[in-house]
Amino acid sequence: MSLHVYTGAYKTGSPALLADKLTQGPRRLQSRLVLLRAGAYTMVLKGCPKPGFQCQPFTFSWPVRVDAP
C-alpha cells in the first residue's frame, strides 16, 4: 500500500507532492510524512490484494487542512 499527498483537491493523473510506502505495525499501517506549509491537501491511500487474496485494487481519499503553528 502507498500513501500519496496532493496539494488541494486530488485529480486523477496529477503528480503527488509526497508519496510513501506504508509499513505494517502491530494492528496498524504507518507512514511518516512532513508537510512544511499550511494549506489544504488531499491524502490518497492506494492498495491492492496480496497474492492469494481476492479483492479489487482500491483507493481511499480524504481532505486534510494543515494550520501554521
Side-chain angles (χ1 to χ4, degrees):
M1 274 194 257
S2 59
L3 180 64
H4 301 263
V5 179
Y6 297 86
T7 303
Y10 168 64
K11 294 180 183 152
T12 303
S14 61
L17 175 66
L18 298 169
D20 192 23
K21 282 191 146 190
L22 279 84
T23 56
Q24 188 168 357
R27 296 189 191 207
R28 65 177 163 210
L29 296 172
Q30 51 196 21
S31 177
R32 182 172 171 91
L33 298 171
V34 178
L35 300 171
L36 299 174
R37 295 189 177 160
Y41 298 91
T42 301
M43 307 285 235
V44 178
L45 177 66
K46 297 179 181 182
C48 57
K50 290 183 177 184
F53 290 88
Q54 292 192 13
C55 72
Q56 296 296 317
F58 59 87
T59 301
F60 294 109
S61 65
W62 62 97
V64 175
R65 175 160 298 281
V66 176
D67 292 325

